[in-house]
Amino acid sequence: MTIGDDDRAACAALAALPALSPIALRRILECHTASDAWQRLRDGRPLDDLTARRFQPGTFAGLAAQARAVEPDAVVDACRRVGAAILLPGDRQFPRLLAGDPEPPPVLFVRGDLAHLARRRVGIVGTRNATAAGRATAFELGE
């Protein structure tokens, strides 16, 4: 499967929205391409009925407002500046361990050599708004 640059940028931008969790993003992508979902949010057009029913009332308006403040190309450029790749399920480089997961992440932002995943590894799951202590602990574990 070849994933277009527009879908990759849209998916990265969707993942950057503070009010959109990975689970919510996965739900949206079950019914929409990333580009379609992004454009609908930016235009204030509703998502399909099934997707819309999965969200609390008012969530869509908040997501739409956040989407209008984010430029997908800026998200892609920010990733490039720090040496991060944007991987989506279906990408050749997407880790097999995650691709086989019943609920794979809808997007991965990765830096470094993914070949290291074949060796002993540890995963750290955190938050977008980590505390200083949380960041320090994650750094220590990562070392």
Side-chain angles (χ1 to χ4, degrees), residues 25-116:
L25 176 54
R26 191 178 316 108
R27 287 178 178 166
I28 289 172
L29 295 177
E30 288 171 0
C31 299
H32 297 276
T33 65
S35 295
D36 177 51
W38 181 255
Q39 206 52 56
R40 285 172 180 262
L41 284 173
R42 290 289 298 253
D43 296 345
R45 291 184 291 128
L47 301 169
D48 68 281
D49 289 341
L50 173 63
T51 305
R53 283 195 305 265
R54 293 177 167 178
F55 292 96
Q56 297 291 326
T59 301
F60 179 79
L63 287 172
Q66 289 178 0
R68 286 189 286 277
V70 174
E71 288 299 326
D73 290 339
V75 175
V76 171
D77 289 342
C79 289
R80 283 190 185 125
R81 280 194 303 277
V82 298
I86 301 165
L87 300 180
L88 306 178
D91 281 334
R92 185 179 52 78
Q93 306 93 335
F94 197 85
R96 288 185 193 166
L97 288 169
L98 291 175
D101 190 283
E103 295 183 357
V107 61
L108 284 177
F109 298 90
V110 299
R111 287 180 22 190
D113 184 357
L114 291 176
H116 291 294

